[in-house]
Amino acid sequence: MCHQSVGLIARHAEAAGIPTLCMGSALDILQAVYPPRAAFLDYLLGHTTGKPFEPELQRAILLEALEAFSALTQPGQIKRLPFRWAEDDDWKDGVMNDGDTRTPRQDTPQYQTEADRVLAEQNNPEACEVCAVSA
Amino acid sequence: MQKPPVDYIKRITDNYAALGYKTYQWVHNEDTPPWTPLTKPLSECRLGLIASGGIYVTGQVAFHTKDDFSFRSIPKDVTTSDLRTAHFAYDQTDARRDPNVVFPIDTLRRLEAEGVIGELADHAFTFMGGIYSTRKVREALAPQLTEQLKAERVDVALLVPV
């Protein structure tokens, strides 16, 4: 769904005169939303711009992706980036095959840590529901 | 063995049908996308970054996960270890260890220093991309982010979903 949202934003920005490039690791969703320019990285979701703590790989991926700005000359083209997640593609078999792995959706801020919450509520008193009630 | 790209729409549809969920209507655009040609090389362009992985900086209010269509503005000189994620639909483990896997801030700062891109815009913009309402994306978030990109005077925009 992230890919869909990003594709819609890219279409809007491009129509407003800003050349865009959407990266992505879900090829079918990219094709469906059909953004102006895209670069497809055939990786496990959650790694759209590389693997953790591999800055040389991250750099190589971004260089290949950015090259799409000059390589793609027609609207709607997708450049396939020359990287593989693993030596074999067995990881693809297990993707989305184990029920609903999403965490339940919540309408309150989902802080990564409790310290983040404390700091954010100090900085943004209006965002703190408990403070708002007691104020 | 090499296998074709994962067919996410089919797998998600089958998966949730089996769980008894209502079918989600994915966007299928048929019309040719809009097009704005680049007028100068990337090495002379000011690049804006937009990422949908729910990235925020410590001190900011985190995203909620029920169609939150707000965005955060992240200064280009942010300390990478101050970056956090709030999302519900992807495994955030690696993004929390190294945000560059979904928010390539160190990578772009390096490409700026190397002269591959002319300049990185002063702010990047982030949101929580798992928004079911395409109306909210089309009518609220997309126009707002486009305005931000214009205010940042970007020549090109790089968009990174998860």
Side-chain angles (χ1 to χ4, degrees):
Chain A
M1 198 156 298
C2 268
H3 285 66
Q4 176 174 287
S5 302
V6 155
L8 294 173
I9 293 162
R11 279 177 157 248
H12 194 280
E14 188 98 18
I18 301 168
T20 63
L21 173 66
C22 289
M23 295 186 68
S25 293
L27 183 61
D28 58 340
I29 305 176
L30 277 178
Q31 288 168 331
V33 71
Y34 201 14
R37 287 174 210 78
F40 169 62
L41 180 66
D42 200 1
Y43 267 21
L44 186 66
L45 292 189
H47 307 84
T48 325
T49 48
K51 296 181 180 182
F53 306 115
E54 294 197 30
E56 297 310 318
L57 175 67
Q58 293 167 0
R59 176 179 179 276
I61 288 170
L62 225 53
L63 280 176
E64 282 285 351
L66 290 171
E67 200 259 341
F69 271 119
S70 52
L72 304 184
T73 55
Q74 300 287 328
Q77 291 180 320
I78 299 177
K79 177 179 175 174
R80 297 193 181 214
L81 304 184
F83 303 92
R84 296 182 70 189
W85 176 254
E87 281 186 22
D88 69 53
D89 278 347
D90 290 350
W91 62 271
K92 294 179 181 177
D93 298 341
V95 171
M96 302 281 164
N97 284 346
D98 48 358
D100 189 354
T101 55
R102 300 169 300 177
T103 51
R105 296 160 73 210
Q106 309 288 346
D107 60 5
T108 52
Q110 299 299 298
Y111 290 98
Q112 184 173 324
T113 69
E114 189 53 32
D116 291 358
R117 175 194 309 281
V118 171
L119 191 58
E121 290 180 353
Q122 282 170 1
N123 289 352
N124 308 277
E126 72 283 359
C128 169
E129 289 160 37
V130 180
C131 314
V133 169
S134 58
Chain B
M1 199 183 98
Q2 206 145 354
K3 297 181 180 178
V6 175
D7 48 348
Y8 284 97
I9 293 177
K10 181 179 186 311
R11 288 196 199 185
I12 291 169
T13 302
D14 292 351
N15 210 354
Y16 295 161
L19 294 166
Y21 298 172
K22 205 172 82 183
T23 305
Y24 182 72
Q25 290 300 318
W26 292 87
V27 172
H28 280 274
N29 284 318
E30 304 285 347
D31 59 315
T32 305
W35 184 257
T36 302
L38 260 76
T39 53
K40 51 187 172 182
L42 208 54
S43 59
E44 295 172 18
C45 284
R46 186 168 158 89
L47 181 143
L49 171 64
I50 290 180
S52 74
I55 316 294
Y56 66 96
V57 189
T58 51
Q60 292 181 334
V61 176
F63 295 97
H64 69 75
T65 49
K66 216 159 193 174
D67 268 22
D68 191 343
F69 59 101
S70 65
F71 65 88
R72 305 288 175 270
S73 171
I74 304 201
K76 72 185 280 187
D77 61 354
V78 66
T79 303
T80 308
S81 59
D82 288 343
L83 293 167
R84 302 285 188 268
T85 72
H87 209 290
F88 69 101
Y90 76 99
D91 183 344
Q92 298 168 83
T93 310
D94 282 344
R96 288 179 168 180
R97 293 166 65 217
D98 178 5
N100 287 290
V101 302
V102 294
F103 183 70
I105 187 69
D106 290 324
T107 321
L108 285 172
R109 288 191 289 223
R110 184 171 167 195
L111 295 183
E112 178 188 45
E114 291 175 355
V116 173
I117 58 172
E119 197 180 8
L120 183 58
D122 292 340
H123 298 88
F125 301 99
T126 58
F127 64 103
M128 195 293 297
I131 305 169
Y132 287 70
S133 164
T134 53
R135 187 182 58 81
K136 286 177 181 167
V137 177
R138 283 197 176 100
E139 294 178 10
L141 185 56
Q144 287 168 7
L145 288 175
T146 301
E147 282 314 303
Q148 295 293 325
L149 290 173
K150 287 191 163 177
E152 292 279 331
R153 294 172 290 104
V154 308
D155 299 305
V156 294
L158 177 68
L159 293 94
V160 181
V162 171

